[in-house]
Amino acid sequence: MIIKTEGMILSQRSYRDSEKFLTILTRDQGVIEAKLRQYGQIKRSQFNLIGPLGYFRFDLFVLKQRYTVDAAEKIEDFFPLRYDVEKLALAGYFCELTQSLAPPREDAWVYLRLLLNTLALLEKDRRSPAFLKAVFELRALSIGGFM
Protein backbone atom coordinates (compact mmCIF):
# COMPACT_ATOMS: atom_id res chain seq x y z
CA MET A 1 0.00 0.00 0.00
CA ILE A 2 1.25 3.51 -0.84
CA ILE A 3 0.71 6.40 1.59
CA LYS A 4 1.16 10.01 0.49
CA THR A 5 2.09 12.33 3.34
CA GLU A 6 4.19 15.31 4.30
CA GLY A 7 6.88 15.04 6.92
CA MET A 8 9.97 16.50 8.54
CA ILE A 9 13.11 14.37 8.73
CA LEU A 10 14.26 14.40 12.34
CA SER A 11 17.32 12.15 12.03
CA GLN A 12 19.02 9.63 9.77
CA ARG A 13 21.22 6.58 10.11
CA SER A 14 23.39 5.38 7.25
CA TYR A 15 23.17 1.71 6.34
CA ARG A 16 25.44 0.44 3.59
CA ASP A 17 26.41 2.76 0.75
CA SER A 18 23.02 3.10 -0.87
CA GLU A 19 20.60 2.94 2.07
CA LYS A 20 19.55 5.18 4.96
CA PHE A 21 17.05 4.84 7.75
CA LEU A 22 15.12 8.08 8.27
CA THR A 23 13.16 9.07 11.35
CA ILE A 24 10.28 11.13 9.99
CA LEU A 25 7.65 13.20 11.80
CA THR A 26 4.57 12.99 9.58
CA ARG A 27 1.23 14.74 9.80
CA ASP A 28 -0.99 11.71 10.20
CA GLN A 29 1.37 8.83 11.07
CA GLY A 30 3.37 10.50 13.84
CA VAL A 31 7.01 9.50 14.22
CA ILE A 32 7.96 6.67 11.88
CA GLU A 33 11.17 5.10 10.66
CA ALA A 34 11.45 4.59 6.92
CA LYS A 35 14.09 3.00 4.76
CA LEU A 36 15.43 5.09 1.90
CA ARG A 37 17.12 3.19 -0.91
CA GLN A 38 18.80 4.59 -3.96
CA TYR A 39 16.71 3.01 -6.70
CA GLY A 40 13.80 3.81 -9.02
CA GLN A 41 12.63 7.38 -8.52
CA ILE A 42 15.30 8.10 -5.89
CA LYS A 43 18.42 8.81 -7.92
CA ARG A 44 21.97 9.34 -6.63
CA SER A 45 21.79 13.16 -6.73
CA GLN A 46 18.46 13.23 -4.90
CA PHE A 47 19.54 10.54 -2.40
CA ASN A 48 22.26 12.78 -0.96
CA LEU A 49 19.91 15.77 -0.59
CA ILE A 50 17.36 13.93 1.54
CA GLY A 51 18.42 14.43 5.14
CA PRO A 52 17.68 16.03 8.51
CA LEU A 53 15.97 19.43 8.70
CA GLY A 54 14.18 18.75 5.43
CA TYR A 55 10.42 19.01 4.99
CA PHE A 56 9.31 16.72 2.17
CA ARG A 57 6.22 15.33 0.47
CA PHE A 58 6.68 11.55 0.66
CA ASP A 59 5.25 8.54 -1.11
CA LEU A 60 5.74 5.75 1.42
CA PHE A 61 5.32 2.06 0.64
CA VAL A 62 3.97 0.18 3.68
CA LEU A 63 4.40 -3.55 4.15
CA LYS A 64 3.87 -5.18 7.56
CA GLN A 65 4.24 -1.89 9.47
CA ARG A 66 7.57 -1.17 7.74
CA TYR A 67 7.94 1.94 5.63
CA THR A 68 10.04 2.45 2.51
CA VAL A 69 10.38 5.80 0.73
CA ASP A 70 9.29 5.49 -2.90
CA ALA A 71 9.49 9.18 -3.78
CA ALA A 72 10.32 12.43 -2.01
CA GLU A 73 9.67 15.99 -3.16
CA LYS A 74 11.28 18.85 -1.26
CA ILE A 75 8.97 21.47 0.22
CA GLU A 76 11.45 23.28 2.50
CA ASP A 77 15.03 22.47 3.50
CA PHE A 78 15.89 25.24 6.02
CA PHE A 79 19.34 25.45 4.43
CA PRO A 80 20.31 28.90 5.87
CA LEU A 81 20.34 27.32 9.35
CA ARG A 82 23.51 25.47 8.34
CA TYR A 83 25.46 28.74 8.09
CA ASP A 84 25.31 29.39 11.84
CA VAL A 85 26.54 26.74 14.28
CA GLU A 86 24.32 27.95 17.13
CA LYS A 87 21.18 27.79 14.97
CA LEU A 88 22.11 24.39 13.56
CA ALA A 89 22.70 22.97 17.06
CA LEU A 90 19.42 24.43 18.29
CA ALA A 91 17.52 23.02 15.29
CA GLY A 92 19.03 19.59 16.02
CA TYR A 93 17.93 19.90 19.65
CA PHE A 94 14.39 20.76 18.54
CA CYS A 95 14.35 17.66 16.32
CA GLU A 96 15.60 15.42 19.15
CA LEU A 97 13.05 16.79 21.60
CA THR A 98 10.24 16.34 19.08
CA GLN A 99 11.37 12.79 18.36
CA SER A 100 11.20 12.00 22.08
CA LEU A 101 7.82 13.60 22.72
CA ALA A 102 5.77 12.99 19.57
CA PRO A 103 3.67 9.83 19.59
CA PRO A 104 4.68 7.02 17.25
CA ARG A 105 2.14 6.07 14.57
CA GLU A 106 -0.50 8.56 15.74
CA ASP A 107 -1.66 11.96 14.56
CA ALA A 108 1.13 14.44 15.32
CA TRP A 109 0.11 17.49 13.32
CA VAL A 110 0.48 19.79 16.35
CA TYR A 111 4.13 18.79 16.88
CA LEU A 112 4.90 19.15 13.18
CA ARG A 113 3.34 22.62 13.04
CA LEU A 114 5.24 23.72 16.15
CA LEU A 115 8.56 22.45 14.76
CA LEU A 116 8.07 24.02 11.33
CA ASN A 117 7.02 27.40 12.73
CA THR A 118 9.94 27.47 15.18
CA LEU A 119 12.48 26.57 12.49
CA ALA A 120 11.05 29.24 10.17
CA LEU A 121 11.37 31.90 12.89
CA LEU A 122 14.90 30.73 13.69
CA GLU A 123 15.90 30.77 10.02
CA LYS A 124 14.62 34.31 9.41
CA ASP A 125 16.00 35.79 12.68
CA ARG A 126 12.55 36.92 13.78
CA ARG A 127 13.26 36.02 17.42
CA SER A 128 16.38 35.32 19.43
CA PRO A 129 17.53 31.68 19.69
CA ALA A 130 17.28 31.71 23.51
CA PHE A 131 13.68 32.95 23.35
CA LEU A 132 12.72 30.34 20.73
CA LYS A 133 14.33 27.57 22.78
CA ALA A 134 12.31 28.46 25.88
CA VAL A 135 9.04 28.82 24.00
CA PHE A 136 9.56 25.58 22.06
CA GLU A 137 10.35 23.58 25.19
CA LEU A 138 7.36 24.89 27.12
CA ARG A 139 4.96 24.45 24.20
CA ALA A 140 6.20 20.94 23.30
CA LEU A 141 5.98 19.79 26.91
CA SER A 142 2.48 21.22 27.32
CA ILE A 143 1.34 19.46 24.14
CA GLY A 144 2.87 16.27 25.50
CA GLY A 145 0.78 16.53 28.67
CA PHE A 146 3.37 17.84 31.11
CA MET A 147 1.66 20.67 32.95
Side-chain angles (χ1 to χ4, degrees):
M1 170 172 51
I2 299 285
I3 295 175
K4 296 183 181 285
T5 188
E6 294 177 0
M8 177 84 173
I9 299 176
L10 301 176
S11 65
Q12 76 177 14
R13 289 184 293 127
S14 294
Y15 180 71
R16 299 184 186 155
D17 289 337
S18 61
E19 292 184 16
K20 296 179 190 178
F21 283 99
L22 305 174
T23 304
I24 306 170
L25 175 64
T26 62
R27 283 180 166 218
D28 45 359
Q29 300 292 320
V31 176
I32 61 170
E33 185 170 78
K35 186 192 301 187
L36 175 67
R37 279 193 259 166
Q38 179 184 316
Y39 70 94
Q41 294 182 12
I42 306 293
K43 305 213 174 359
R44 183 117 180 108
S45 60
Q46 188 182 21
F47 178 79
N48 293 329
L49 297 177
I50 298 174
L53 296 181
Y55 184 51
F56 291 89
R57 188 171 289 117
F58 290 104
D59 292 343
L60 299 172
F61 178 72
V62 183
L63 180 65
K64 296 181 182 177
Q65 296 296 322
R66 293 182 187 225
Y67 296 89
T68 304
V69 177
D70 272 350
E73 178 185 340
K74 180 181 75 169
I75 298 172
E76 180 68 44
D77 61 358
F78 300 104
F79 195 78
L81 292 176
R82 291 168 175 84
Y83 296 135
D84 186 359
V85 175
E86 181 184 10
K87 290 180 182 179
L88 184 62
L90 195 56
Y93 171 70
F94 291 155
C95 289
E96 284 181 32
L97 188 61
T98 304
Q99 187 174 346
S100 299
L101 293 175
R105 300 177 195 250
E106 290 181 23
D107 187 24
W109 170 241
V110 180
Y111 286 102
L112 182 61
R113 189 180 72 202
L114 175 65
L115 182 60
L116 290 173
N117 288 339
T118 305
L119 291 178
L121 290 171
L122 185 63
E123 177 185 36
K124 293 179 174 79
D125 287 328
R126 299 268 171 100
R127 300 279 189 261
S128 70
F131 177 78
L132 287 175
K133 180 179 182 276
V135 170
F136 184 86
E137 288 173 340
L138 290 173
R139 185 73 181 123
L141 289 172
S142 68
I143 292 169
F146 297 97
M147 292 292 211

